[in-house]
Amino acid sequence: MRISARGWDAWLCAGLGSGWLPTMPGTWGSLAALGPAAVMVSAWGAMALLGAALLLLALGCWLCARLLPRLDESDPGWIVIDEWVGVW
């Protein structure tokens, strides 16, 4: 990864940094998404979680379109925003 990929957009694509953990980034990303999902469901209900997932999907698409041209790899494993959307 190039240094320019360590900005706020990379941090969000990495699932608030969970994708940068040493091994199994997808697993860590999925586990990290469980906490916020549980909080949202308990506070606002399942429909709020669905709405948040749709917003995160749109945000993730936009962020990845912005970020991927700056990277050396076409599908870096540390990008786990899709795991977050899947869990939500």
Side-chain angles (χ1 to χ4, degrees):
M1 173 183 352
R2 294 183 214 151
I3 295 299
S4 64
R6 290 282 185 168
W8 64 270
D9 51 356
W11 183 72
L12 288 175
C13 284
L16 307 180
S18 61
W20 289 327
L21 290 169
T23 58
M24 306 178 310
T27 303
W28 289 119
S30 296
L31 287 173
L34 288 174
V39 169
M40 276 191 275
V41 168
S42 67
W44 300 297
M47 290 308 290
L49 182 62
L50 176 61
L54 293 174
L55 287 174
L56 190 63
L57 174 64
L59 177 67
C61 289
W62 176 72
L63 287 173
C64 286
R66 223 182 106 88
L67 181 66
L68 286 174
R70 300 189 336 232
L71 301 178
D72 295 329
E73 335 172 44
S74 62
D75 186 20
W78 58 265
I79 293 181
V80 295
I81 197 164
D82 55 325
E83 274 82 4
W84 279 63
V85 171
V87 167
W88 286 10

